[in-house]
Amino acid sequence: METKSSSSSTNLVDQSVCPGDVILDLSNMTNQTIKLGGGLRQDCDAISVMKAGRLRFSKPNKYWVENSQKRYVPHAEDSVLGIVVDSRSDNFLVDIKGPALAFLPVLAFEGGTRRNIPRFEIGTLIYARVVKANPGMNPELACTDASGKAAEFGALKDGYMFECTTGLSRMLLSSPTCPVLDALGKKLSFEIAVGLNGRVWVSAASPQTTIVVANAIMNSETLSGAQQRIMVEKLLERIH
Amino acid sequence: MAGKGGATPATYSPSPTTNRKKKPPIFKEDWVRPDGRGFHQCRPAFFRTGAVNAASGSAYAEFGNTKVIVSVFGPRESKKAMMYSDIGRLNCNVSFTTFATPIRGQGSDHKEYCAMLHKALEGAIILETFPKTTVDVFALVLESSGSDLPVVISCASLALADAGIMMYDIVASVSVSCFNKNLVIDPILEEEIGQDGSLMITCMPSRYEITQLTVTGEWSTTKINEGMQLCLDACAKLAKIMRSCLKEVASDSQE
């Protein structure tokens, strides 16, 4: 969605906003386009907020509302952790914490043909990519990247999966590396898969390490970078 | 109250005739409200989101002694039996705890509250953003002390915002009672019993839109105008409290 506007940035950027808040008045703006991301809508001559969260801006002209919630709204190209709930002849039904179950076609794997259809039991944890996410339709997943390679996608064996908010999963996937993962990675050896749908899978050599990593991640949501490092140090003191 | 051998003892509840307070002398000039508030003064409001872990979004509200908790689940797939819909569905349910009212179990017969809550919220939610799915809103009145529905509506609006449901604006609701010539805002239970009429407004303050207006009893045109203005002013103030609650949570979780 594009709208005429000037380059003047709103003073609400990086501030908390609520439904109904007007972030931009377009009546006195001309000559430039702005792009509206999730959580914003044009209401006559104003850009208003539709959901609670933080207003973000990326140069040159994109605004969106970033928020943390328990439910997940599927978007194309998101990496998600899904649980197989049913198996059909043509596809698997996968729960990705969205409004509807997602379809994972049996051929959506690297070198997928009718002869080598994968066998997934109900309850299998899968790391997949959202291919299609249209409103009113069930999302479609694939266990390949855009070039058709398996990459990191596929079934996740062993390990421990826990659920968190979408905000925390976004923080864990942010660049530069999230302080909690950075601090844990320096002292412990573990494998982690984070889905943008608010699911995290951790696998380590010992259950003790797995529990420490999972607890550290779950506790880190409301902490600053420095607080996250202190928290990790205190957790590691107890196990060494 | 021991029952006969093996029979479950009946639940004790005080007789409705006992402990019934006399109606306040509302027609006297020097009448003061039972809780000491001014006629145009609301009860202190308290809101908190994230009260229920299992829900997509939830909120707890306290207006004086009226305490309400609302949980929002979904959007989730509509039942197979339902017809296809290219807009989402809103399902509302209001229930009372058995101990919510002075007379045990009295609150459970407010069936019309569900329909009124639905009407109040329907206009504020952008239903097109979740086609084929349903959003469930479950409100539980923990303690009823008058003006229950406005508190439920305001709390439900906050819970929906907490769940990340797309909304045009936050919904705030306030009621006014009429006593002869006096208008009393945010009435408590004792005042509701003796009122001549009541007016409840549910609005979206940022958009200056009313989603629901309920009037009972006899009102003159001037009284209705005065009552509506009172409610709208109170809604604007209430919305500020609700916004600050939401913004507090957003800044805590994303610092």
Side-chain angles (χ1 to χ4, degrees), chain A residues 16-21 39 41 43 49-54 56 66-71 99-101 135-136 138 221-223, chain B residues 52-53 55-56 74-77 126 131-133 163-170 206-207 243 246-247 250-255:
Chain A
S16 300
V17 288
C18 295
D21 286 354
R41 64 190 289 273
D43 203 359
V49 178
M50 293 192 291
K51 65 178 180 182
R54 281 200 173 211
R56 300 292 190 200
E66 195 175 85
N67 74 334
S68 180
Q69 55 198 48
K70 288 175 189 170
R71 68 192 190 91
L101 294 174
N138 292 58
E221 183 166 14
T222 55
L223 303 178
Chain B
V52 181
N53 276 328
S56 303
R76 46 192 181 188
E77 271 186 301
I126 308 173
K132 281 173 72 180
T133 55
I165 304 294
M166 301 284 189
M167 298 170 78
Y168 293 112
D169 191 9
I170 279 173
S206 300
R207 293 168 65 90
R243 280 175 197 284
L246 274 176
K247 286 177 180 178
S251 55
D252 281 353
S253 65
Q254 288 169 30
E255 233 148 49

Side-chain angles (χ1 to χ4, degrees), chain B:
Chain B
M1 277 186 76
K4 288 174 185 173
T8 313
T11 308
Y12 169 77
S13 60
S15 167
T17 50
T18 59
N19 302 335
R20 185 175 279 177
K21 290 175 184 173
K22 290 177 183 176
K23 283 188 188 179
I26 51 177
F27 303 119
K28 290 183 181 175
E29 291 295 317
D30 58 346
W31 174 62
V32 288
R33 298 178 74 173
D35 53 3
R37 281 182 292 148
F39 285 4
H40 297 175
Q41 191 182 347
C42 291
R43 291 173 291 182
F46 169 78
F47 289 100
R48 177 163 289 165
T49 56
V52 181
N53 276 328
S56 303
S58 58
Y60 169 77
E62 214 172 276
F63 277 52
N65 287 337
T66 300
K67 298 175 180 71
V68 169
I69 197 160
V70 179
S71 308
V72 172
F73 294 88
R76 46 192 181 188
E77 271 186 301
S78 295
K79 287 171 187 158
K80 295 281 187 284
M82 287 183 173
M83 298 279 286
Y84 170 80
S85 169
D86 55 1
I87 62 164
R89 288 186 185 86
L90 180 65
N91 174 39
C92 298
N93 182 50
V94 182
S95 55
F96 285 69
T97 56
T98 50
F99 49 83
T101 48
I103 302 162
R104 193 174 175 85
Q106 189 190 39
S108 56
D109 60 349
H110 291 286
K111 294 281 188 286
E112 73 275 13
Y113 275 20
C114 302
M116 290 171 88
L117 176 62
H118 184 277
K119 267 276 184 286
L121 297 176
E122 196 179 26
I125 298 171
I126 308 173
L127 296 166
E128 297 80 36
T129 55
F130 47 95
K132 281 173 72 180
T133 55
T134 305
V135 169
D136 296 310
V137 178
F138 297 107
L140 179 67
V141 179
L142 300 172
E143 190 177 339
S144 169
S145 178
S147 301
D148 298 333
L149 189 59
V151 181
V152 166
I153 291 167
S154 305
C155 189
S157 156
L158 209 59
L160 285 164
D162 183 51
I165 304 294
M166 301 284 189
M167 298 170 78
Y168 293 112
D169 191 9
I170 279 173
V171 178
S173 183
V174 173
S175 66
V176 158
S177 280
C178 177
F179 293 97
N180 200 13
K181 289 178 183 177
N182 297 322
L183 284 184
V184 168
I185 199 162
D186 198 16
I188 60 168
L189 207 57
E190 293 166 65
E191 292 166 340
E192 280 183 338
I193 293 164
Q195 69 189 9
D196 297 328
S198 72
L199 180 148
M200 185 188 78
I201 280 186
T202 304
C203 71
M204 297 189 273
S206 300
R207 293 168 65 90
Y208 305 105
E209 286 181 20
I210 290 174
T211 61
Q212 190 180 46
L213 170 63
T214 311
V215 183
T216 59
E218 281 188 37
W219 290 77
S220 62
T221 311
T222 50
K223 269 277 177 282
I224 280 208
N225 288 340
E226 193 187 334
M228 281 176 73
Q229 200 51 58
L230 257 177
C231 281
L232 290 170
D233 290 345
C235 282
K237 287 172 186 169
L238 182 59
K240 278 184 186 173
I241 299 169
M242 291 164 76
R243 280 175 197 284
S244 65
C245 170
L246 274 176
K247 286 177 180 178
E248 227 173 82
V249 172
S251 55
D252 281 353
S253 65
Q254 288 169 30
E255 233 148 49

